[in-house]
Amino acid sequence: EASSVSPIDCCMRQGGLAEVSVQYPFTSGCDFVGTVVKTGSEAFLHGINEGDRVAAVVAGGGNARFITVPAHQLVKIPDYVSSDEAASVMLPFLIAFQTLHAGQNPRTRYASNSLEGKSVLLADNAGLVGFAMASLARLCGVKNMFIVSPKEFHSRIRLLGSEPLHEDPDSWTKICGKVDVLIETRFGRSKLRNAKSCILKEDGRLVRIGTPVIARSMPAPSMNHLQRYVVPSLFAFQMTEASFYELFFSVQQNNKLFQDDFKHIINLLAERQIRSPGTTRHIDLGSVARAQSELQLYHQEGSWVCKPWQRDEVDEYVRHVRDQ
């Protein structure tokens, strides 16, 4: 029914994700919402039957009209949830939720007060993930949520209940003081390495979105490896906890926790506690390449949703030939 077009697709196509091996020809799309048309003999063991409406996060192929997916990766979606909105919500909110709760006990991460009283700083302009993080911060009880962003997005960040910050790290401590959770992205423009180390509390947690390049040479990297060898070489902070987050690395590390987090996001959407972060633009399958080109050139202000059965360009061509 629908699938997102995201910066992850662009990164994957360029070979920027160590956890995903791309072999061509390759169909983009890291998520989808659709209806099960055929099942394997053991799909029922996972509660999946033909006719079920489902969603999944996948390592490619989501933009296609048909896709084959292991039953255990599927999450059921209520009929009243729009496929468009589900496709625009899945990736940014899942990444935002897992980043905010990195290292947190699974027994407490789904409570309404899971981050009660915490102060969080997102130190990079993270596009839709940043907007999703601001929305989730309110639901999780975050006391203060700070987001570094270009000035044109400051008013929208304030509407979501968060405090926008300018991109100069030296000004951050004057506004937010020390924070409990500090988040940055590998692909952002953060000058965090040059910032003062006092921005993070002594018992605070650093989370970096995007597995560092140095970790890619490690066979089957574990979080212990990342903490012991990578963190000291990249950051001048002395902290109690540090972790890295990448979507597909998260799937590999703990698939059950990933699926539980995914179900939680779908439940929040079904209960109307979260919604699409920005304007949703619908495109057909033939327009995916153009959409990816735009995503690489401009900041992502809204969601691109591929409707694979939509045939606007094909129908327009047929009408043109008929008219001739």
Side-chain angles (χ1 to χ4, degrees), residues 262-295:
F262 190 15
K263 292 175 183 177
H264 179 66
I265 294 301
I266 296 300
N267 288 336
L268 291 178
L269 177 61
E271 295 169 1
R272 306 303 301 164
Q273 295 191 56
I274 59 175
R275 59 184 59 203
S276 178
T279 305
T280 300
R281 287 175 283 184
H282 303 97
I283 60 173
D284 57 29
L285 198 53
S287 302
V288 170
R290 174 176 57 82
Q292 288 194 21
S293 295
E294 290 196 29
L295 285 176

Coordinates of all heavy atoms in Angstrom, one line a residue, residues 262-295:
F262 N 9.0 -1.6 17.8 CA 8.2 -1.3 16.6 C 6.7 -1.4 16.9 O 5.9 -0.5 16.5 CB 8.6 -2.3 15.5 CG 8.0 -2.1 14.2 CD1 7.5 -0.8 13.8 CD2 8.0 -3.1 13.2 CE1 7.0 -0.6 12.5 CE2 7.6 -2.9 11.9 CZ 7.0 -1.6 11.6
K263 N 6.3 -2.4 17.6 CA 4.9 -2.5 18.0 C 4.4 -1.4 18.9 O 3.3 -0.9 18.8 CB 4.7 -3.9 18.8 CG 4.8 -5.1 17.9 CD 4.7 -6.4 18.8 CE 5.0 -7.6 17.9 NZ 5.0 -8.8 18.7
H264 N 5.3 -0.9 19.7 CA 5.0 0.3 20.6 C 4.7 1.5 19.8 O 3.7 2.2 20.0 CB 6.1 0.5 21.6 CG 5.9 1.7 22.5 ND1 4.9 1.7 23.4 CD2 6.5 2.9 22.6 CE1 5.0 2.9 24.1 NE2 5.9 3.6 23.6
I265 N 5.5 1.7 18.7 CA 5.3 2.9 17.9 C 4.0 2.8 17.1 O 3.2 3.7 17.0 CB 6.5 3.0 16.9 CG1 7.8 3.4 17.6 CG2 6.2 4.1 15.8 CD1 7.7 4.7 18.4
I266 N 3.7 1.6 16.6 CA 2.4 1.4 15.9 C 1.2 1.6 16.8 O 0.2 2.2 16.5 CB 2.4 -0.1 15.3 CG1 3.4 -0.2 14.2 CG2 1.0 -0.3 14.7 CD1 3.3 0.7 13.1
N267 N 1.4 1.2 18.1 CA 0.3 1.4 19.1 C 0.1 2.9 19.3 O -1.1 3.3 19.5 CB 0.6 0.6 20.4 CG 0.4 -0.9 20.2 OD1 -0.3 -1.4 19.4 ND2 1.1 -1.6 21.1
L268 N 1.2 3.6 19.5 CA 1.1 5.0 19.7 C 0.4 5.7 18.5 O -0.4 6.6 18.7 CB 2.5 5.7 19.9 CG 3.2 5.3 21.2 CD1 4.6 6.0 21.2 CD2 2.4 5.8 22.4
L269 N 0.7 5.3 17.3 CA 0.0 5.8 16.1 C -1.5 5.5 16.1 O -2.3 6.3 15.8 CB 0.7 5.3 14.8 CG 0.1 5.7 13.5 CD1 0.1 7.2 13.3 CD2 0.8 5.0 12.3
A270 N -1.8 4.2 16.4 CA -3.2 3.8 16.4 C -4.0 4.5 17.5 O -5.2 4.8 17.3 CB -3.3 2.3 16.7
E271 N -3.4 4.9 18.6 CA -4.0 5.7 19.7 C -4.0 7.2 19.4 O -4.4 7.9 20.3 CB -3.3 5.3 21.0 CG -3.5 3.9 21.4 CD -2.6 3.5 22.6 OE1 -1.9 4.4 23.1 OE2 -2.6 2.4 23.0
R272 N -3.4 7.6 18.3 CA -3.3 9.0 17.9 C -2.5 9.8 18.8 O -2.7 11.0 18.9 CB -4.7 9.6 17.7 CG -5.7 8.9 16.8 CD -5.1 8.7 15.5 NE -4.8 9.9 14.8 CZ -4.1 10.0 13.7 NH1 -3.5 9.0 13.2 NH2 -3.9 11.2 13.2
Q273 N -1.5 9.2 19.5 CA -0.6 9.9 20.3 C 0.6 10.5 19.5 O 1.2 11.4 20.0 CB -0.1 9.0 21.4 CG -1.2 8.6 22.4 CD -0.6 7.9 23.6 OE1 0.2 8.5 24.4 NE2 -1.0 6.7 23.9
I274 N 0.8 10.0 18.4 CA 1.8 10.5 17.5 C 1.2 10.6 16.1 O 0.2 10.0 15.8 CB 3.1 9.6 17.4 CG1 2.8 8.2 16.9 CG2 3.8 9.6 18.7 CD1 4.0 7.3 16.7
R275 N 1.8 11.5 15.3 CA 1.3 11.6 13.9 C 2.5 12.0 13.0 O 3.6 12.3 13.4 CB 0.2 12.7 13.8 CG 0.6 14.1 14.3 CD -0.6 15.0 14.2 NE -1.7 14.4 15.1 CZ -2.9 14.8 14.9 NH1 -3.3 15.6 13.9 NH2 -3.9 14.3 15.7
S276 N 2.2 12.0 11.7 CA 3.3 12.3 10.7 C 4.0 13.6 11.0 O 3.4 14.6 11.2 CB 2.6 12.3 9.3 OG 3.6 12.6 8.3
P277 N 5.3 13.5 11.0 CA 6.1 14.7 11.3 C 6.3 15.6 10.1 O 7.4 15.6 9.4 CB 7.5 14.1 11.8 CG 7.6 12.8 11.1 CD 6.2 12.3 10.9
G278 N 5.3 16.3 9.7 CA 5.4 17.2 8.5 C 4.5 16.8 7.4 O 3.8 15.8 7.5
T279 N 4.6 17.6 6.3 CA 3.8 17.3 5.2 C 4.2 16.0 4.5 O 5.3 15.7 4.3 CB 3.9 18.5 4.2 OG1 3.6 19.7 4.8 CG2 3.0 18.3 3.0
T280 N 3.2 15.2 4.1 CA 3.4 14.0 3.3 C 3.2 14.2 1.8 O 2.1 14.7 1.4 CB 2.5 12.9 3.8 OG1 2.7 12.7 5.2 CG2 2.7 11.6 3.1
R281 N 4.2 13.8 1.1 CA 4.1 13.9 -0.4 C 4.0 12.5 -1.0 O 4.9 11.7 -0.7 CB 5.3 14.7 -1.0 CG 5.2 16.2 -0.7 CD 6.5 16.9 -1.2 NE 7.6 16.7 -0.3 CZ 8.8 17.2 -0.4 NH1 9.0 18.0 -1.4 NH2 9.7 17.0 0.5
H282 N 3.0 12.3 -1.8 CA 2.8 11.0 -2.4 C 3.4 10.9 -3.8 O 3.2 11.8 -4.6 CB 1.3 10.7 -2.5 CG 0.7 10.7 -1.1 ND1 0.0 11.8 -0.7 CD2 0.6 9.8 -0.1 CE1 -0.5 11.6 0.5 NE2 -0.1 10.4 0.9
I283 N 4.1 9.8 -4.1 CA 4.7 9.7 -5.4 C 4.5 8.2 -5.9 O 4.2 7.3 -5.1 CB 6.3 9.9 -5.4 CG1 7.0 9.0 -4.4 CG2 6.6 11.4 -5.0 CD1 8.5 9.0 -4.5
D284 N 4.6 8.0 -7.2 CA 4.5 6.7 -7.7 C 5.9 6.0 -7.8 O 6.9 6.6 -7.5 CB 3.8 6.7 -9.1 CG 4.5 7.5 -10.1 OD1 5.7 7.7 -10.0 OD2 3.9 8.1 -11.0
L285 N 5.9 4.8 -8.2 CA 7.1 4.0 -8.2 C 8.2 4.6 -9.1 O 9.4 4.6 -8.8 CB 6.8 2.5 -8.6 CG 7.9 1.5 -8.3 CD1 8.2 1.5 -6.8 CD2 7.3 0.1 -8.7
G286 N 7.7 5.2 -10.2 CA 8.6 5.8 -11.2 C 9.3 7.1 -10.7 O 10.2 7.5 -11.4
S287 N 8.8 7.6 -9.6 CA 9.3 8.9 -9.1 C 10.3 8.8 -8.0 O 10.8 9.8 -7.4 CB 8.2 9.8 -8.7 OG 7.3 10.0 -9.8
V288 N 10.6 7.5 -7.6 CA 11.5 7.3 -6.4 C 12.9 7.9 -6.6 O 13.4 8.5 -5.7 CB 11.5 5.8 -6.1 CG1 12.6 5.5 -5.0 CG2 10.2 5.3 -5.6
A289 N 13.4 7.7 -7.8 CA 14.8 8.2 -8.1 C 14.8 9.7 -7.9 O 15.8 10.3 -7.3 CB 15.2 7.8 -9.5
R290 N 13.8 10.4 -8.4 CA 13.8 11.9 -8.3 C 13.7 12.3 -6.8 O 14.3 13.2 -6.4 CB 12.6 12.4 -9.1 CG 12.4 13.9 -8.9 CD 11.3 14.4 -9.8 NE 10.0 13.8 -9.5 CZ 9.2 14.1 -8.5 NH1 9.5 15.0 -7.7 NH2 8.0 13.4 -8.4
A291 N 12.9 11.6 -6.1 CA 12.7 11.9 -4.7 C 14.0 11.7 -3.9 O 14.4 12.5 -3.1 CB 11.6 11.0 -4.1
Q292 N 14.8 10.6 -4.2 CA 16.1 10.4 -3.6 C 17.0 11.5 -3.9 O 17.8 12.0 -3.1 CB 16.6 9.1 -3.9 CG 15.9 7.9 -3.3 CD 16.7 6.6 -3.4 OE1 17.9 6.6 -3.6 NE2 16.0 5.5 -3.3
S293 N 17.0 12.0 -5.2 CA 17.9 13.1 -5.6 C 17.6 14.3 -4.8 O 18.5 15.0 -4.3 CB 17.7 13.4 -7.1 OG 18.1 12.2 -7.8
E294 N 16.3 14.6 -4.6 CA 16.0 15.8 -3.8 C 16.4 15.7 -2.3 O 16.8 16.6 -1.7 CB 14.5 16.1 -3.9 CG 14.0 16.6 -5.3 CD 12.6 17.2 -5.3 OE1 12.2 17.7 -4.2 OE2 12.0 17.1 -6.3
L295 N 16.2 14.5 -1.8 CA 16.6 14.2 -0.4 C 18.1 14.5 -0.2 O 18.5 14.9 0.9 CB 16.2 12.8 0.0 CG 14.8 12.5 0.3 CD1 14.6 11.1 0.6 CD2 14.2 13.4 1.5

